[in-house]
Amino acid sequence: MSHPEEKKSEEAPRLGPFFYIGGANGVEMLNLYCRNKGWQRIHDNRREDYILKWCETKFRDTYYNFREGTEEVEGEQLLYQIPNNKILTTKIGLLMNLREYERVMRKISKNCKVLRMDEFFPETFRLDTKDERDIFFDIYREPQIWICKPTGSNQGRGIFLLKNQCEIKELQAKLQNLEDDPIYKKLPYKIPQARIVQRYIDRPLLLEGKKFDVRSYLLIACTVPYMLFFGHGYARLTCLNYNPRSDDLTAHLTNQYVQKKSPMYSTLKEETVWQMDRFNNYVNERFRLTKGLPKDWVFNGFTKRMKEIMLQCFLAVKSKLDCKLGYFDLIGCDFLIDEDFKVWLLEMNANPALHTNCSALKNIVPTVVNETLDLAIEIFTKCQKGQPLLPLDSLCHFVLLYNGAASDLPLPRIQISIVPSLMGSSPVKAVLRSSQVCASGNQYVIKPVPASEKHLPGAAAAAAAGKADSGDDKAKASAGAVSKDRSYSTWFQQTFGPKLSSAAGSEPGLPLTSSQMVSLHLQSNIPPNLPGFQELAKPFRQLVTLGKSPPGDGKAAASDATRSSGETPPEDKKVSHRGS
């Protein structure tokens, strides 16, 4: 909401720096923070001379003329919300990426350190795919309780419970009618948004007889390199005592938007939000002895588990998020504790609520907002100046969860030879940097780009200078010698091949398959600042995947490009399937 004084100052000539805020979520706190820095607010979403843009809803104009920088000049602007964060913050996006991550990691090694989904994520089925829908309807048995949610909604909108066979059949008929409706077949964009059904945790831990969950924060303060932080939030309680068979949603959903609908909210408002200190003291007093919990379990065991779950969710999408210097994001993560003190992730939310309608929130939310901006600005400034990111002067409430800059491995620049599917077309070559990768063609051959002192530090730069003219002949080494080929594929084989062989118990020396290379790249011990691969999933998937060779001259082109790269591609049948 704009004020008269703001409109007046908008008309006067100003020098900046400028900031833009879209929407009403936390606008007072954001406005105060920026004005205290001497920045001036603008109200035109299409202006390109801002230093910070914070929008709660993503539209095309939100990213209009974002200055991501050039090779000589790093990023120039800060922009809230990663454009494709929906792969993490929608129900289906999170579900499919967690499934994929677990499947691929298990394929690499049965002993890999990855949480099983059924250990932290309730059993879930998609209702927009027939196979999963049919499985759910077949396995449902009374008196089970399931909860049905739209994939992209928040604030409890569109949520309902399924508690008996009659409600299941009603839902089944409704979905079938939507599928058969000729209007939706002609106009598919009018189909209501997809839904999921999730097994309801019907025996939750209760606080004074009321259901609760915990809102924590995942801060992605920078995407180039990735810098992630964990932040404590608060416990959210219902107004009514918990009854699993109740038809009143205010007894099941804890968020403030739903609780405001309860007639008891005005009286119990201050009791619907607990600070973490109060929650910890309550658990110490009521459950420490009876459940055999260690002292301060909330700040130790529970916090550790939340961090582990958040990190796995991030690793599942790390290679798919859009990454540019200046992008940052604050994600609200909702956790539930059952009566056995098992921690469950319910969902992750983009643009979490920043309202301060009770005393507990007034103590928590401004701290979260201010430190979010402090960290994003400090890291952004250090990246611009080429300074070490750690230590961080503004780090206080948050805790470092993932440091993408902590990599000392020498990483090669690479060149991609793209063999188009059109017959007779010559290969197209492009240097991979940032997110600029050609998505056309069906075969990709990776070649090294001569390194320079600008891209390789210290001794690696000197060595590269001496070998710049060696060409592709270096790749033709004998089988027993260490390969001189600096392609991404060869570097990957030499660096991680022996580790994978020993972990999987397979014969050493066997080359990694495409899917193994993709999977290894998703692991936390793979440096996240590989040039462009981890930021965009589609290009990376295509780079390590060899589809069917094109007929005719296309085969010859593919063969020539493969020979020029100095490496042998895997068989045509070794295709990595990473699509969600």
Side-chain angles (χ1 to χ4, degrees):
M1 184 177 68
S2 59
H3 300 282
E5 62 269 21
E6 291 178 350
K7 291 183 178 180
K8 182 178 179 180
S9 60
E10 179 79 7
E11 297 171 359
R14 297 181 298 173
L15 300 177
F18 302 111
F19 68 95
Y20 174 86
I21 302 174
N25 187 26
V27 62
E28 292 85 3
M29 287 176 287
L30 295 166
N31 193 39
L32 178 62
Y33 177 94
C34 295
R35 290 192 179 277
N36 286 341
K37 283 189 168 293
W39 300 351
Q40 300 174 23
R41 186 175 179 182
I42 58 176
H43 297 270
D44 186 353
N45 191 22
R46 295 169 295 178
R47 282 183 59 167
E48 58 182 71
D49 55 344
Y50 61 87
I51 191 173
L52 170 68
K53 178 180 280 192
W54 182 295
C55 298
E56 65 177 75
T57 305
K58 292 180 300 208
F59 295 109
R60 183 188 64 180
D61 287 347
T62 302
Y63 303 92
Y64 183 79
N65 280 341
F66 172 71
R67 296 175 184 170
E68 59 178 299
T70 63
E71 288 187 5
E72 294 76 19
V73 181
E74 293 293 343
E76 302 176 38
Q77 297 170 318
L78 281 166
L79 185 57
Y80 175 65
Q81 287 207 64
I82 299 171
N84 67 333
N85 61 6
K86 65 181 180 181
I87 62 177
L88 190 62
T89 60
T90 60
K91 280 75 170 178
I92 289 179
L94 180 61
L95 170 68
M96 298 308 293
N97 282 291
L98 286 175
R99 282 180 181 174
E100 177 191 24
Y101 182 72
E102 181 181 39
R103 174 183 61 81
V104 176
M105 295 297 288
R106 296 293 177 189
K107 185 177 180 181
I108 292 177
S109 173
K110 295 181 180 179
N111 300 322
C112 62
K113 294 182 179 180
V114 58
L115 300 177
R116 289 171 44 191
M117 276 187 68
D118 57 10
E119 293 177 350
F120 69 91
F121 198 73
E123 185 179 9
T124 306
F125 295 95
R126 294 176 59 173
L127 293 181
D128 61 326
T129 60
K130 188 177 187 304
D131 291 342
E132 290 196 37
R133 188 167 65 232
D134 291 343
I135 291 174
F136 165 68
F137 291 136
D138 288 340
I139 69 169
Y140 178 81
R141 297 291 183 272
E142 292 188 22
Q144 295 175 358
I145 302 177
W146 290 71
I147 185 167
C148 185
K149 307 176 183 178
T151 180
S153 296
N154 55 12
Q155 298 180 332
R157 288 189 289 256
I159 294 179
F160 56 87
L161 298 181
L162 299 167
K163 301 188 292 293
N164 54 59
Q165 196 68 47
C166 179
E167 293 174 343
I168 293 293
K169 290 182 178 179
E170 183 179 343
L171 174 64
Q172 190 173 11
K174 183 178 179 180
L175 293 173
Q176 189 62 46
N177 290 337
L178 286 176
E179 192 172 281
D180 296 338
D181 195 323
I183 295 179
Y184 294 133
K185 290 182 179 180
K186 293 181 180 179
L187 305 172
Y189 60 88
K190 289 191 175 183
I191 297 177
Q193 67 170 304
R195 288 178 169 270
I196 56 106
V197 283
Q198 194 169 68
R199 189 179 292 274
Y200 187 70
I201 309 300
D202 58 355
R203 295 189 303 166
L205 183 68
L206 303 179
L207 299 183
E208 298 180 349
K210 299 172 183 177
K211 184 180 177 181
F212 77 98
D213 64 18
V214 174
R215 163 61 59 86
S216 296
Y217 296 100
L218 173 64
L219 169 61
I220 305 177
C222 184
T223 60
V224 183
Y226 278 120
M227 294 294 289
L228 267 71
F229 300 86
F230 164 85
H232 275 299
Y234 47 91
R236 309 182 299 182
L237 290 75
T238 61
C239 292
L240 301 175
N241 286 349
Y242 176 67
N243 176 7
R245 309 308 300 184
S246 173
D247 293 328
D248 190 344
L249 277 181
T250 61
H252 299 278
L253 305 182
T254 62
N255 65 71
Q256 290 284 293
Y257 183 83
V258 173
Q259 291 306 308
K260 287 179 181 179
K261 300 177 182 179
S262 171
M264 302 173 63
Y265 179 76
S266 58
T267 305
L268 300 175
K269 180 175 68 172
E270 293 296 330
E271 292 299 313
T272 59
V273 178
W274 285 15
Q275 296 190 61
M276 296 302 290
D277 287 332
R278 180 180 177 183
F279 174 41
N280 180 62
N281 292 335
Y282 184 89
V283 171
N284 282 339
E285 294 173 3
R286 297 293 183 93
F287 303 109
R288 183 185 173 193
L289 297 178
T290 58
K291 294 291 185 177
L293 298 176
K295 185 179 180 181
D296 296 332
W297 175 82
V298 169
F299 291 123
N300 293 296
F302 177 50
T303 298
K304 179 182 177 181
R305 189 62 169 177
M306 288 193 293
K307 290 179 181 179
E308 292 173 347
I309 294 172
M310 284 186 187
L311 184 58
Q312 179 150 324
C313 292
F314 163 71
L315 293 176
V317 301
K318 183 182 72 170
S319 62
K320 303 179 182 181
L321 289 171
D322 289 340
C323 295
K324 293 180 181 179
L325 182 58
Y327 285 170
F328 71 103
D329 216 331
L330 181 66
I331 297 171
C333 306
D334 297 336
F335 294 92
L336 184 140
I337 306 170
D338 66 20
E339 62 182 14
D340 296 322
F341 284 81
K342 187 174 182 178
V343 180
W344 299 93
L345 172 66
L346 299 181
E347 60 187 26
M348 305 184 88
N349 300 277
N351 189 43
L354 302 177
H355 50 69
T356 55
N357 57 327
C358 65
S359 58
L361 292 176
K362 290 177 182 177
N363 293 329
I364 298 168
V365 175
T367 301
V368 171
V369 172
N370 291 339
E371 192 168 335
T372 291
L373 291 169
D374 285 341
L375 287 170
I377 292 171
E378 182 179 352
I379 295 173
F380 180 72
T381 303
K382 287 183 174 180
C383 286
Q384 287 180 316
K385 297 179 179 180
Q387 298 174 346
L389 300 184
L390 298 179
L392 291 166
D393 297 332
S394 53
L395 187 60
C396 181
H397 172 81
F398 283 92
V399 177
L400 182 62
L401 186 64
Y402 181 90
N403 179 10
S407 171
D408 296 323
L409 289 175
L411 305 176
R413 295 182 72 221
I414 62 172
Q415 177 174 281
I416 312 303
S417 294
I418 306 171
V419 183
S421 58
L422 297 177
M423 294 178 59
S425 299
S426 58
V428 182
K429 297 182 179 179
V431 175
L432 180 66
R433 63 169 66 92
S434 182
S435 60
Q436 301 169 352
V437 179
C438 179
S440 61
N442 69 343
Q443 285 197 335
Y444 295 78
V445 180
I446 304 173
K447 290 186 62 179
V449 171
S452 64
E453 295 183 4
K454 179 180 179 180
H455 298 93
L456 293 177
K467 299 177 182 179
D469 299 328
S470 61
D472 292 339
D473 295 336
K474 298 272 185 174
K476 300 178 181 179
S478 61
V482 178
S483 173
K484 301 295 185 181
D485 184 3
R486 300 305 300 163
S487 69
Y488 177 80
S489 177
T490 303
W491 171 82
F492 219 120
Q493 298 280 1
Q494 293 174 352
T495 305
F496 301 102
K499 298 180 182 179
L500 178 63
S501 299
S502 60
S506 59
E507 182 181 349
L510 293 177
L512 300 179
T513 64
S514 298
S515 62
Q516 288 171 334
M517 291 173 63
V518 174
S519 305
L520 280 169
H521 194 89
L522 294 175
Q523 298 183 71
S524 59
N525 63 339
I526 305 301
N529 55 344
L530 286 172
F533 280 96
Q534 81 288 0
E535 290 96 348
L536 292 173
K538 184 175 181 180
F540 180 71
R541 177 171 67 250
Q542 293 169 329
L543 293 176
V544 297
T545 302
L546 290 171
K548 295 182 179 180
S549 299
D553 295 338
K555 282 189 177 181
S559 177
D560 293 342
T562 302
R563 285 194 296 271
S564 67
S565 70
E567 60 183 70
T568 302
E571 297 87 343
D572 288 347
K573 293 184 179 180
K574 292 183 179 179
V575 179
S576 174
H577 301 283
R578 300 185 63 234
S580 297

